[in-house]
Amino acid sequence: MDNRGILIVVSGFSGAGKGTLMKELLRRHPDTYALSISATTRSPREGEVDGREYFFISTEEFEKMIAKDGLIEYARYVENYYGTPRGYVEEKLGQGKDVILEIEIQGALKVKKAFPDTLLLFVTPPSASELKSRLVGRGTETMDVIRSRMDRACEEAQGMENYDYLIVNDDLDTCVEEMHSIIRAEHRKISRNAEFMEKIKEDLISLKGED
Ligand code: ADP
Ligand code: 5GP
């Protein structure tokens, strides 16, 4: 099998449950996946740790990273910058890990353009009202911020068609297993196994006529 890992982008409305899903997927399959840690200029939420959820940096530091091409992609989202540091992603893909970027849609499309064999997954709750309940229930944002995130969800919904698979996060356990199965199947795509196929073709020719 070809050894490089798959680059996977996970997007979805804020409050859809992406963070919760990623945490559970990594807990169940720690050797398979690596989760990229983004840099952001937004302030940490209660309980978030620098270098774990995000690298929390200043706008000036962020702009320096852009200037030295240290980010695979970046975007502005509700007044802040968010971006994917290049080094970690390249290192982990080289080690054969499937690397997950949990990023919003503008960034997802940039990654797909730069790396066309990226797998794009879109996470949604089962309904719009459930999205609002989860955002309110999480209790980490003011009603004003929740409103702007719901507005942003309306815009992001227009871009769902650009993704490869829709992941409906209703029951968490089912959803985690479904996501893992989709990624397993992606590894078996003909287009991802060129090296293996070449090798077996050559070996079949060498064996022809031998007893
Ligand atoms: P995101 O990372 O997409 O913004 P979170 O992972 O923070 O979303 O989840 C938003 C809220 O919804 C959290 O309070 C989380 O505990 C809850 N949540 C996540 N998945 C589910 C689920 N399958 N069923 C019910 N609540 C969920
Ligand atoms: P939050 O503030 O809720 O942690 O994240 C807000 C949005 O930014 C989410 O949609 C999240 O997926 C996205 N995001 C997080 N990191 C990155 C990144 O590195 N690049 C891009 N383009 N979006 C990101």
Side-chain angles (χ1 to χ4, degrees):
M1 292 292 128
D2 296 1
N3 288 330
R4 251 178 102 76
I6 296 181
L7 186 57
I8 303 158
V9 164
V10 173
S11 305
F13 313 123
S14 177
K18 301 179 297 296
T20 311
L21 267 173
M22 293 305 99
K23 210 168 152 192
E24 189 52 25
L25 188 69
L26 266 98
R27 195 187 64 74
R28 293 186 194 186
H29 308 282
D31 299 329
T32 306
Y33 298 109
L35 185 63
S36 162
I37 301 170
S38 298
T40 183
T41 57
R42 91 151 156 72
S43 314
R45 292 186 188 124
E46 180 93 27
E48 284 183 334
V49 176
D50 185 41
R52 191 179 69 190
E53 281 79 11
Y54 283 104
F55 296 106
F56 296 99
I57 62 176
S58 66
T59 303
E60 200 189 358
E61 287 171 302
F62 199 99
E63 285 169 351
K64 267 192 203 148
M65 287 185 84
I66 299 173
K68 57 175 201 212
D69 199 28
L71 299 170
I72 287 183
E73 61 73 39
Y74 67 93
R76 280 192 83 85
Y77 176 94
V78 192
E79 305 296 304
N80 283 296
Y81 273 131
Y82 294 80
T84 307
R86 186 181 296 282
Y88 179 86
V89 172
E90 289 181 350
E91 180 195 324
K92 294 293 165 184
L93 286 176
Q95 290 170 1
K97 300 255 187 191
D98 292 341
V99 178
I100 303 180
L101 313 183
E102 193 215 302
I103 64 179
E104 53 65 69
I105 189 162
Q106 303 167 55
L109 300 181
K110 287 184 209 159
V111 172
K112 182 78 180 179
K113 203 162 173 204
F115 308 96
D117 63 354
T118 304
L119 176 65
L120 297 186
L121 308 179
F122 194 92
V123 179
T124 172
S127 67
S129 59
E130 175 66 14
L131 179 65
K132 193 162 182 193
S133 311
R134 286 186 191 172
L135 274 175
V136 173
R138 187 167 67 186
T140 48
E141 274 94 5
T142 61
M143 266 330 276
D144 256 8
V145 173
I146 289 176
R147 235 170 269 128
S148 40
R149 285 180 180 233
M150 289 299 289
D151 288 350
R152 178 69 186 225
C154 282
E155 290 168 30
E156 291 200 329
Q158 302 306 317
M160 288 191 285
E161 284 82 358
N162 293 298
Y163 285 73
D164 296 310
Y165 291 91
L166 191 67
I167 309 285
V168 180
N169 178 19
D170 191 351
D171 174 66
L172 184 69
D173 182 58
T174 311
C175 190
V176 171
E177 284 317 309
E178 194 173 278
M179 186 180 282
H180 182 61
S181 305
I182 287 170
I183 298 167
R184 290 290 89 210
E186 185 68 22
H187 275 274
R188 298 289 169 265
K189 271 222 171 130
I190 288 290
S191 57
R192 292 193 188 270
N193 289 281
E195 234 174 78
F196 176 87
M197 291 187 298
E198 274 318 302
K199 168 92 173 56
I200 204 161
K201 279 183 202 167
E202 280 168 22
D203 291 352
L204 282 167
I205 290 168
S206 323
L207 283 181
K208 218 158 64 170
E210 273 184 26
D211 275 311

